[in-house]
Amino acid sequence: MRDAGRVSTTLPILVAGGGIGGLATALGLAGKGFGVRVLEKAAPLGEVGAGIQLGPNAFHAFDRLGVGDTARAMAIYVDRLRLMDALTAGEICHIDLGEAFRARFGNPYAVIHRGDLHGIFLKACRAHPRIALGTSAEVLRYEQDGASVTAFLAGGEAVRGAALIGADGLWSNVRRQVVGDGAPRVSGHTTYRSVIPTERMPEDLRWNAATLWAGPKCHIVHYPLQGWKTFNLVVTCHDDAPEPVAGKPVGAEEVLAGFRHVHPLAQSIIRHGRDWKLWVLCDREPVGTWVDGCVALLGDAAHPMLQYMAQGACMAMEDAVCLAQMMEAHAGRIEPALAAYNAARLLRTARVQLQSRAIGEHVYHPAGAHAALRDAIMRAKSQEEWRDSLAWLYGGSGPEPGAATG
Ligand SMILES: Cc1cc2nc3c(=O)[nH]c(=O)nc-3n(C[C@H](O)[C@H](O)[C@H](O)COP(=O)(O)OP(=O)(O)OC[C@H]3O[C@@H](n4cnc5c(N)ncnc54)[C@H](O)[C@@H]3O)c2cc1C
């Protein structure tokens, strides 16, 4: 008789995907004493050269994964989240990220280069004796027998582990087997990204803020990166793009096409960009189950979302912390640990998935009376009310193991 997923003392836990979610997971599990083997499709391991915003909840996760001090040393601390009207170039509102914000949430809000963030995890994983990192290792499918899971790789190799965590992103092969809900939903929103040297950024826009210019069916985001050496530019328009696209190089004129109707100051941000790359954004409906026996999904593989709350990577890191905690709480009994992880993370991540869509519609892209209503609601909020409304997200990481396991 099989032993309901008790962890093997000899087999490692397999992690498909060496992105931010996969490496955070490896670190979390290894920190609790489990051996981990990461199987990453690409060679070498890396991240796209762009920025990422980190809410205080990301720092809660860094601390639990043992990389808090390194992350704090590499991050840039912006003073405010600023919402601008892309038609008038006036400020709609801002959220102060100073002392009162940090005191309320116990950690700062920051921005960081993706390569730096990924590098923090990669360095920690490489230094950990219980983590093996494999590249050019695409997981195609798995089989399990109750005592172990076998991952079948594109190169023909079969790798056995005690469990398999699918951290293989938006187009997850592991998800295809665990959930089987087809291709992701194409949002019809096109995003262009560029990172420019700070001297190329117009001087009157070099704000120490994560700034968002909201316009009819479009928005622009910018913030400083890498010790103020560069600025991250992300511009998005709702152009009903029909097909998913990832990282296609495009010229500035093509980017500007969706922004002819916005204020010249907002347009100037786009004119200063270079080496633009295009993504057509996808997400999915939340689903209740990300677990199949000794196999579980994590990060974008489990709950892909639009980037409008700047939380996809933060959620992946929270997942990693939660998974490690559940494995420890269940003394390595894999099936109950994975089920508890799924239950603990489900509603929080579903809320961020759905709220990210809603923010796009009601805050970033409205026009006319819809935009005027947005302005009135957002301007009426005091700083304390902003902090109250964000407490569910930034104040913690969701339920602790005790709460979910009863
Ligand atoms: C424009 C944009 C801006 C964003 N801004 C923010 C932000 O400010 N803050 C934030 O928190 N989040 C942000 N996000 C979301 C964030 O980037 C993702 O949620 C996060 O990177 C997901 O990490 P992951 O490890 O789950 O997946 P991924 O980063 O997709 O990593 C998956 C890894 O698995 C590998 N892989 C894929 N298939 C296989 C396979 N079959 N076998 C083995 N390996 C495989 C891939 O090569 C990759 O390395 C943004 C996203 C976008 C598009």
Side-chain angles (χ1 to χ4, degrees), residues 10-376:
T10 50
L11 290 174
I13 295 173
L14 307 177
V15 177
I20 291 162
L23 295 188
T25 300
L27 205 52
L29 290 170
K32 301 293 187 192
F34 300 98
V36 183
R37 182 164 170 190
V38 176
L39 303 164
E40 163 60 46
K41 172 167 93 170
L45 284 146
E47 254 290 346
V48 290
I52 204 158
Q53 301 182 50
L54 302 168
N57 56 321
F59 287 89
H60 307 331
F62 289 140
D63 284 335
R64 290 180 182 143
L65 295 167
V67 294
D69 291 344
T70 324
R72 280 188 190 81
M74 293 188 117
I76 288 196
Y77 300 99
V78 282
D79 294 335
R80 51 184 59 188
L81 301 176
R82 198 168 188 200
L83 184 65
M84 304 291 293
D85 185 325
L87 294 182
T88 65
E91 182 180 286
I92 299 167
C93 68
H94 68 263
I95 301 174
D96 242 306
L97 302 174
E99 228 168 85
F101 181 94
R102 289 185 187 203
R104 172 75 185 266
F105 299 124
N107 258 314
Y109 195 102
V111 294
I112 194 167
H113 192 273
R114 279 167 181 271
D116 291 344
L117 176 57
H118 189 262
I120 290 168
F121 285 124
L122 188 56
K123 192 168 171 216
C125 285
R126 282 193 171 131
H128 206 297
R130 280 189 285 275
I131 300 176
L133 296 171
T135 52
S136 304
E138 180 182 7
V139 176
L140 295 180
R141 63 182 187 87
Y142 63 83
E143 286 175 7
Q144 57 183 325
D145 59 12
S148 69
V149 183
T150 303
F152 295 90
L153 308 189
E157 200 186 340
V159 184
R160 236 176 114 229
L164 170 64
I165 309 304
D168 49 347
L170 179 66
W171 296 95
S172 167
N173 283 345
V174 181
R175 183 183 180 111
R176 196 182 316 132
Q177 232 175 306
V178 171
V179 185
D181 55 351
R185 183 192 75 110
V186 181
S187 68
H189 297 202
T190 300
T191 279
Y192 307 89
R193 283 158 149 174
S194 169
V195 177
I196 56 169
T198 295
E199 54 274 18
R200 274 183 78 93
M201 188 70 177
E203 245 176 281
D204 53 349
L205 290 172
R206 291 182 203 166
W207 301 332
N208 189 23
T211 306
L212 190 138
W213 301 69
K217 292 191 118 185
C218 71
H219 71 272
I220 301 170
V221 173
H222 55 82
Y223 48 82
L225 274 183
Q226 298 176 299
W228 277 82
K229 288 196 198 77
T230 59
F231 259 79
N232 190 53
L233 311 181
V234 186
V235 310
T236 302
C237 56
H238 187 171
D239 56 359
D240 300 315
E243 301 287 339
V245 180
K248 181 182 150 209
V250 290
E253 282 309 308
E254 183 176 335
V255 184
L256 270 168
F259 295 84
R260 301 269 179 225
H261 58 304
V262 305
H263 192 277
L265 189 59
Q267 281 192 25
S268 74
I269 300 163
I270 299 172
R271 290 186 203 286
H272 286 86
R274 64 181 189 197
D275 300 330
W276 287 103
K277 292 204 175 70
L278 178 161
W279 277 260
V280 174
L281 303 172
C282 296
D283 68 358
R284 285 186 186 272
E285 297 301 329
V287 291
T289 305
W290 318 323
V291 171
D292 169 23
C294 293
V295 181
L297 304 175
L298 182 142
D300 276 7
H303 41 67
M305 55 188 68
L306 301 181
Q307 78 266 22
Y308 300 160
M309 288 181 79
Q311 278 288 322
C314 299
M315 287 295 126
M317 293 187 287
E318 283 190 4
D319 286 350
V321 170
C322 177
L323 179 66
Q325 286 176 338
M326 292 304 182
M327 286 290 286
E328 183 182 47
H330 288 270
R333 294 175 67 84
I334 288 173
E335 289 190 24
L338 297 189
Y341 151 76
N342 192 157
R345 296 296 300 154
L346 180 66
L347 297 187
R348 181 170 170 80
T349 53
R351 184 171 178 181
V352 182
Q353 276 177 292
L354 296 179
Q355 207 157 309
S356 295
R357 281 186 198 168
I359 282 181
E361 189 180 345
H362 298 297
V363 180
Y364 295 178
H365 293 167
H370 193 169
L373 174 64
R374 167 201 65 201
D375 295 357

Side-chain angles (χ1 to χ4, degrees), residues 390-405:
L390 291 165
W392 70 274
L393 180 60
Y394 296 151
S397 311
E400 294 294 318
T405 54

